[in-house]
Amino acid sequence: MSPPALLLRGARLLDPTLSHDGRADVLVRDGRIDRVEGSIEPRAGVHVIDLSGFLLTPGLIDIHVHLREPGQEAKETIATGTRAAAAGGFVAVCAMPNTDPVIDTPEMVRLVIERAAAAGPVRVHPIAAATVGSRGERPTHVDALAGAGAVAVSDDGRPISDEALGPVLERARAAGIPVANHCEALDLSAGGAILSGGLAKRLGVSGIPREAESDAVARDLAILARTGGRLHVCHVSTARSVELIREGKAAGLAVTAEVAPHHLALTVDEVERSGALAKMNPPLAGSEDREALRAALADGTLDCVATDHAPHTEAEKARGLGQAPFGVVGLETAFAVLYSTLVERGVLPLTTLVRRLGADAARALGLEAPVVRVGARADLAAFDLETEWTVDPARFRSLGRNTPFAGWRLRGRPVMTVAGGTVAYDGRAPEER
Ligand SMILES: [Zn+2]
């Protein structure tokens, strides 16, 4: 049974892929975009959705989230995580395999896809483990994992070992999917909680030097140059890593990279205010790193934004800076944080932000890019760029409340998400904020 036809009326439609920016109505029928015109009259039987005053874009895609199911359902489930995605304007997410058990077999890949299909209209593309149990030793059967629906392989949460990365890249190349690597030299980062430096010393916690990331990026690029295949660098956080990726691209390597909203918006100083709620891996870095990340996102050296949405329970995050687990949630704040900190301040054009959160993210992992074109899948998101709102984690759809953005006053609140022709989120009339 197909959902009712939808008429999205009155919005400013911005589609970077089509270089379209202007008022347009969009008619959605049978999961597809049926018409896109300046003005479409409503017909009987069509559900009219008034989006006057809002921005309408292709649906956003987040290629790096942790849904925690199976095994860690106190942190998040596929159902709550996909609802959080919808509330953030996302129509599809790529789920990392570091669940319990790890997603390292075709059966597990299919399980995630089936549970997501039952949960709602937001699509989940599993990323399977690169090595068995993500233990960094024996490569998984990448061809079988890709055949079951995995869009990439990764041991995210940990790096793929030096020994395994070459064979994994070769297997992934044969299977036609990229390797998404969490670049971290564990010998340099061991025991660290936040970026090395004055603040770590003052707070009495061990530091993580920038080289823990950039040395690993350099090593990975050298292996990529030898073996071929496609490497996607997860959550780039330092200026030196950006430089290495820029050089790798210039040398013709098949490398893509993502950056997380928290690394674009914050620096290590945030730890002073937010404590363990600003603890993530890789850690928040310095302002010169943040400037380099912003410039690299603008010029495309960093291909896209991905949230690294990493929900944890309140009890876990209450263990203090040294003991709390790494990670912050991001699905429900990503667009507004980036709109308010980058677009409103003139750092990044709005059209570039929409592209980096949509079409460019899709392309990095070889997914179909969302586009508001007749015949395309009806994946759309709408945002309120005018009204200020306050981030209140108590209202999150995610089970995770671990965000450093609580209390922030932002513009760019997601108000409507349509995934595959179905309304996945409608927040046009929020309760009193
Ligand atoms: Zn990671």
Side-chain angles (χ1 to χ4, degrees), residues 64 156-157 182 235 281 308:
H64 189 146
D156 187 56
H182 165 123
H235 42 54
N281 189 10
D308 193 6

Side-chain angles (χ1 to χ4, degrees), residues 24-263:
D25 291 351
V26 179
L27 183 67
V28 169
R29 195 187 291 282
D30 297 330
R32 299 268 150 190
I33 291 170
D34 193 62
R35 286 167 68 189
V36 184
E37 287 160 34
S39 178
I40 300 175
E41 285 305 309
R43 293 239 187 100
V46 172
H47 179 44
V48 179
I49 295 172
D50 181 13
L51 295 179
S52 307
F54 298 138
L55 177 79
L56 183 63
T57 71
L60 308 184
I61 305 223
D62 190 346
I63 61 171
H64 189 146
V65 305
H66 297 273
L67 294 180
R68 307 301 193 198
E69 182 180 349
Q72 300 167 327
E73 288 84 355
K75 296 176 192 275
E76 191 78 290
T77 68
I78 290 171
T80 58
T82 50
R83 278 205 289 278
F90 294 94
V91 296
V93 298
C94 298
M96 282 297 178
N98 60 336
T99 49
D100 184 13
V102 166
I103 311 296
D104 61 359
T105 65
E107 292 71 31
M108 291 295 295
V109 170
R110 281 191 284 267
L111 177 88
V112 171
I113 293 172
E114 281 160 20
R115 287 193 184 175
V122 169
R123 294 183 300 283
V124 175
H125 301 286
I127 294 175
T131 63
V132 175
S134 279
R135 285 190 292 272
E137 293 150 19
R138 275 189 303 131
T140 48
H141 295 287
V142 181
D143 50 347
L145 294 165
V151 296
V153 287
S154 178
D155 284 346
D156 187 56
R158 334 171 14 94
I160 301 167
S161 68
D162 289 30
E163 301 71 42
L165 183 58
V168 168
L169 276 165
E170 281 166 6
R171 287 180 183 214
R173 182 183 56 189
I177 61 174
V179 177
N181 203 10
H182 165 123
C183 295
E184 177 181 359
L186 294 173
D187 52 329
L188 299 180
S189 62
I194 67 170
L195 188 76
S196 298
L199 186 60
K201 282 208 189 80
R202 191 141 49 81
L203 297 176
V205 293
S206 303
I208 300 173
R210 291 176 173 81
E211 293 73 29
E213 177 180 86
S214 56
D215 282 11
V217 170
R219 178 211 67 164
D220 282 15
L221 292 172
I223 295 171
L224 179 68
R226 280 201 301 278
T227 59
R230 280 158 63 205
L231 176 71
H232 178 75
V233 181
C234 295
H235 42 54
V236 175
S237 70
T238 67
R240 178 65 186 141
S241 298
V242 164
E243 208 175 293
L244 290 164
I245 291 162
R246 190 173 279 130
E247 288 168 14
K249 286 188 166 187
L253 294 180
V255 58
T256 54
E258 71 191 30
V259 58
H262 44 266
H263 290 124

Side-chain angles (χ1 to χ4, degrees), residues 254-429:
V255 58
T256 54
E258 71 191 30
V259 58
H262 44 266
H263 290 124
L264 290 163
L266 306 172
T267 67
V268 62
D269 294 340
E270 180 63 27
V271 176
E272 191 117 65
R273 193 179 78 97
S274 294
L277 294 178
K279 178 184 178 181
M280 73 289 288
N281 189 10
L284 295 171
S287 55
E288 66 285 10
D289 297 291
R290 183 175 63 177
E291 294 317 307
L293 296 174
R294 290 174 170 185
L297 185 66
D299 74 20
T301 300
L302 297 176
D303 297 79
C304 61
V305 173
T307 67
D308 193 6
H309 176 82
H312 292 293
T313 63
E314 256 174 81
E316 289 167 316
K317 276 296 193 182
R319 285 179 200 152
L321 193 55
Q323 297 305 311
F326 292 103
V328 295
V329 293
L331 284 166
E332 291 168 83
T333 51
F335 186 88
V337 163
L338 296 175
Y339 179 75
S340 299
T341 57
L342 301 184
V343 177
E344 283 203 303
R345 294 183 197 169
V347 176
L348 198 71
L350 177 59
T351 184
T352 306
L353 178 63
V354 171
R355 186 187 292 268
R356 301 285 189 258
L357 276 162
D360 290 343
R363 270 191 283 272
L365 291 195
L367 306 174
E368 190 185 326
V371 60
V372 187
R373 181 189 277 142
V374 172
R377 180 164 45 211
D379 287 339
L380 299 132
F383 303 92
D384 180 350
L385 302 185
E386 303 299 327
T387 317
E388 268 204 349
W389 61 290
T390 305
V391 176
D392 178 3
R395 295 184 187 277
F396 284 171
R397 268 68 176 171
S398 173
L399 297 182
R401 306 286 148 88
N402 46 308
T403 175
F405 298 114
W408 278 41
R409 299 279 294 163
L410 301 172
R411 268 185 278 266
R413 189 175 66 84
V415 292
M416 166 73 55
T417 306
V418 174
T422 299
V423 175
Y425 175 70
D426 184 353
R428 284 174 296 165

